[in-house]
Amino acid sequence: MSRSPGVPTPDALEARIAELRAAVRRAMAAGDRTAARELRAELRHAEEAWDDAVLGTGADAAETAPRETAPRRSSGRSSGRPRGAATGKGERATGSSGGAAGSQGKVRAKGPAKRGTKGSAKSSAKGSGRGSRRGLLPVREQVHQALTLLGVPSAPKLVGSVYAAFFPGEIAAGRLTSLRRDEERSFRTAPYARPYYLCAALTADLLAPARGLLTVSTWPLERRIVGPLSPRTDFLTSAIRLAEHAGRGEPNPEAQRLLWRFASNIPGAVDGTVGTVDPAVLAEAARGELEVHREADRRRRESAAGRALDRLDDAERLFGSRLRALQDAPRRPAVNGETDR
């Protein structure tokens, strides 16, 4: 088939697509999101041109015609006399008594059917109520919203509690088990193809993934690192952010219970009835304690972030370095009375 002049060949389009994908990755690594969006739009146009050049436009022309179903024929034969017609007095009496019995049977049969209908309606209503609590967003979007509100590395259980307290719906706990592994697999397959990734926090000493802590890839590297003081400073920081968010309106009972859990672990944050918390008092008490630990924790995190930038690649900065076993050094013989172990 002859090709129109000026139309690029599939090989040229494939080379252009590869160049654009590499350019998108470089733009995301440099933090230039505007250029990345423009390159992504150009990449989509190139992919569409490749589809037109290789697949053509007439692939979807053939459609199957819908089959027509023949109308059903009545199998019964009409007789000259109706089936239920009576031929004599005895038959009339029998028919009337049988009709009464049949009507009573129908009345009795209606009872269980109605009860079954009500039961099914109740069960369907309960099922729809449970389903409405799940929300309409994907799990990674729900986790991203909760982590953005918290602003610090957080455990999956806390993420679920925050989302249930401040957002509509709830996060399915079973979906969080493999979420970080799925995100890492997606990044290693196509780096920077998504606007953000849910990744692991890094330990300050080994730069390895911290167990049970989720972060967002768009956060600064030092915020995604946890040191010896980080659990307490992150707890206080999240308490401040949640209290400020709850103070903008009237917190619901679930948000009150969550704030109480924070306030009960911060000195001076509880000044009223048990179970109720003033968000302003909670935020003020958390700020007072945070000032004690903030500077030391910041120095430790920045030092670890500098080492991570020097030693780790892009994937390891997001998901942590792999711990490698060291080879055993050759043993030397014992001398001067030492014990050879």
Side-chain angles (χ1 to χ4, degrees):
M1 182 178 65
S2 61
R3 188 176 302 277
S4 302
V7 177
T9 63
D11 294 336
L13 289 172
E14 290 173 359
R16 179 59 178 163
I17 289 172
E19 293 176 359
L20 289 172
R21 286 176 177 171
V24 170
R25 290 195 295 269
R26 288 193 297 269
M28 289 298 297
D32 191 354
R33 295 186 176 274
T34 303
R37 283 193 294 268
E38 295 175 355
L39 291 169
R40 181 59 182 163
E42 189 176 351
L43 175 60
R44 283 195 293 268
H45 292 318
E47 290 173 345
E48 292 174 359
W50 185 90
D51 292 339
D52 294 338
V54 176
L55 303 179
T57 57
D60 300 329
E63 294 182 356
T64 58
R67 293 184 297 176
E68 296 181 358
T69 57
R72 292 184 178 179
R73 295 182 179 179
S74 59
S75 58
R77 294 182 179 179
S78 60
S79 59
R81 184 182 63 187
R83 183 175 297 177
T87 57
K89 293 181 179 179
E91 290 180 1
R92 288 193 186 96
T94 306
S96 61
S97 62
S103 62
Q104 292 176 1
K106 289 180 181 178
V107 171
R108 286 194 297 269
K110 287 180 180 178
K114 289 183 178 179
R115 288 195 295 271
T117 305
K118 290 181 180 179
S120 61
K122 289 181 180 179
S123 61
S124 62
K126 290 180 181 179
S128 62
R130 287 193 298 267
S132 62
R133 289 286 293 166
R134 293 298 183 191
L136 301 177
L137 294 176
V139 175
R140 69 186 306 269
E141 295 286 346
Q142 294 175 322
V143 175
H144 180 256
Q145 288 183 350
L147 285 174
T148 302
L149 178 57
L150 287 165
V152 293
S154 304
K157 186 176 181 180
L158 177 59
V159 170
S161 299
V162 169
Y163 191 88
F166 294 99
F167 298 95
E170 62 183 13
I171 299 177
R175 299 291 302 276
L176 297 178
T177 306
S178 60
L179 181 61
R180 192 188 62 80
R181 292 195 300 270
D182 296 340
E183 294 287 299
E184 182 177 1
R185 190 181 303 113
S186 174
F187 181 85
R188 293 185 181 277
T189 302
Y192 300 107
R194 295 177 176 179
Y196 67 87
Y197 291 87
L198 302 176
C199 49
L202 307 183
T203 58
D205 50 356
L206 301 176
L207 300 178
R211 184 178 180 85
L213 291 178
L214 294 174
T215 64
V216 184
S217 61
T218 55
W219 292 354
L221 182 57
E222 56 270 15
R223 198 198 301 183
R224 294 189 284 108
I225 292 178
V226 291
L229 296 175
S230 299
R232 187 59 183 175
T233 58
D234 289 345
F235 178 83
L236 297 170
T237 303
S238 58
I240 295 171
R241 293 175 65 92
L242 293 179
E244 291 175 347
H245 184 77
R248 298 188 182 101
E250 186 66 26
N252 55 36
E254 199 159 1
Q256 277 285 354
R257 287 192 294 269
L258 180 62
L259 294 178
W260 171 257
R261 288 164 51 188
F262 278 90
S264 59
N265 290 280
I266 300 175
V270 179
D271 62 348
T273 309
V274 175
T276 60
V277 180
D278 185 355
V281 175
L282 171 60
E284 187 64 26
R287 289 192 192 97
E289 184 180 350
L290 183 60
E291 290 298 325
V292 178
H293 310 292
R294 188 202 303 270
E295 188 61 27
D297 182 60
R298 183 188 62 81
R299 289 196 301 266
R300 185 65 180 267
R301 285 182 165 183
E302 289 180 351
S303 174
R307 289 189 289 110
L309 290 174
D310 294 337
R311 302 178 184 179
L312 304 182
D313 57 18
D314 290 353
E316 290 177 337
R317 291 172 192 169
L318 296 180
F319 302 98
S321 62
R322 303 297 182 186
L323 298 179
R324 301 174 180 86
L326 298 177
Q327 296 181 354
D328 293 336
R331 295 183 178 181
R332 62 178 180 83
V335 294
N336 297 331
E338 295 178 347
T339 303
D340 189 4
R341 296 181 180 178

